[in-house]
Amino acid sequence: MGEGLYLTDAYLKECRAQVRRSGSDGVYLDSTVFYPAGGGQPSDSGELRAADGRHWVVTGAAKGAEGILHNLESGEPPEPGLTVQAVLDWPRRYSNMRHHTALHILSGVVFRRFGSGITGGQIYADRARMDFDLPEFTPGLASELVAEMNAVVRRALPVHVRFISRREFESDPSFVRVARNLMPEVEEVRLIDIEGFDVQADGGTHVRSTSEVGEVALGRIENKGARNKRLYLTLGPPTEAASSALSG
Ligand SMILES: [Zn+2]
């Protein structure tokens, strides 16, 4: 109950929903397009709109005890039973989708080259960050990684969401790399599959083609210790495919 619609369709910008519970901590809906923060991807923001003209600003969302909790600006929350339209701040979400997919591409590039070495990642409004455990990490290497990322962007590879059983997942040795962060109680595994390039178990939202990521540029590189390097990426303006997704 209350599972996010973004799990199967990241391009849904709004949905009709009924308020299940509301209180000072926020609102639970029977259905939602809002992504709760997690996996390095920030939560969505947006609005709840009622037919009588009232509306509530959603400042963020989080995983709560009863599903996805929508945090609202202070004021009288909508009453349980009320039907609302849950509407995303789509430019913000779409930016998160592009940056998130960029991190998958970088992860695939690094995996192909080094076999491992990624320790974390984070998405921001205007950039994304990845952390590495690689002994040698020079500006030259960072530039090469970004050039390889742009080659993947230009190939316009389809990005699929797939669900497989945990048993199927664990019986395939090629998934060993992605099993690391898997929750022990999960029965079904959600996979993000960049066709022919990279597969990861993941709960976030992504674009449907690597081309929508657009041109990737290298940002700052930080040396946080012998085995802790940090790289920032920025993305160019949305491509034509991205622009149509934005307006569509
Ligand atoms: Zn992801």
Side-chain angles (χ1 to χ4, degrees):
M1 188 76 171
E3 275 236 283
L5 299 172
Y6 61 83
L7 286 170
T8 48
D9 185 359
Y11 287 80
L12 262 187
K13 302 172 184 68
E14 54 183 89
C15 72
R16 213 170 114 97
Q18 203 173 48
V19 176
R20 277 199 288 128
R21 196 174 73 69
S22 69
S24 55
D25 57 338
V27 169
Y28 289 102
L29 304 173
D30 65 349
S31 177
T32 190
V33 287
F34 281 80
Y35 179 73
Q41 181 179 332
S43 75
D44 290 323
S45 55
E47 251 185 14
L48 304 181
R49 297 174 189 157
D52 60 12
R54 288 180 297 159
H55 68 275
W56 297 265
V57 173
V58 179
T59 54
K63 285 180 186 126
E66 298 169 42
I68 295 168
L69 181 66
H70 304 73
N71 309 118
L72 305 184
E73 271 187 348
S74 60
E76 191 67 28
E79 60 277 13
L82 184 71
T83 297
V84 293
Q85 196 70 10
V87 184
L88 291 183
D89 176 344
W90 177 248
R92 175 186 144 112
R93 150 67 88 75
Y94 189 63
S95 170
N96 288 342
M97 286 160 58
R98 291 176 67 219
H99 284 90
H100 195 145
T101 310
L103 289 182
H104 282 242
I105 296 172
L106 178 56
S107 163
V109 165
V110 169
F111 180 72
R112 278 161 182 245
R113 201 155 163 153
F114 300 104
S116 67
I118 290 166
T119 54
Q122 180 64 44
I123 295 154
Y124 305 94
D126 58 351
R127 66 196 192 285
R129 184 196 92 204
M130 199 154 247
D131 296 336
F132 301 93
D133 174 3
L134 294 173
E136 297 292 328
F137 196 80
T138 61
L141 171 61
S143 298
E144 281 176 36
L145 297 177
V146 170
E148 287 175 35
M149 287 180 71
N150 280 316
V152 175
V153 167
R154 283 192 294 273
R155 285 167 69 193
L157 300 176
V159 182
H160 304 288
V161 179
R162 291 196 280 134
F163 293 86
I164 63 171
S165 73
R166 187 183 180 92
R167 212 175 45 177
E168 193 184 341
F169 182 83
E170 287 178 341
S171 66
D172 186 335
S174 70
F175 290 134
V176 165
R177 175 171 70 101
V178 296
R180 198 165 22 123
N181 299 323
L182 210 61
M183 296 295 152
E185 69 274 17
V186 171
E187 283 304 319
E188 202 178 36
V189 181
R190 182 175 183 263
L191 296 178
I192 305 302
D193 187 347
I194 302 180
E195 205 174 291
F197 179 70
D198 182 73
V199 181
Q200 295 185 29
D202 186 298
T205 63
H206 312 78
V207 291
R208 55 193 155 206
S209 164
T210 60
S211 65
E212 287 188 38
V213 171
E215 184 76 13
V216 183
L218 179 61
R220 207 166 67 242
I221 301 169
E222 289 171 359
N223 193 342
K224 316 276 291 177
R227 300 194 66 95
N228 185 5
K229 319 292 179 188
R230 181 166 278 186
L231 180 158
Y232 288 89
L233 298 170
T234 59
L235 300 182
T239 59
E240 204 173 301
S243 302
S244 70
L246 265 181
S247 58

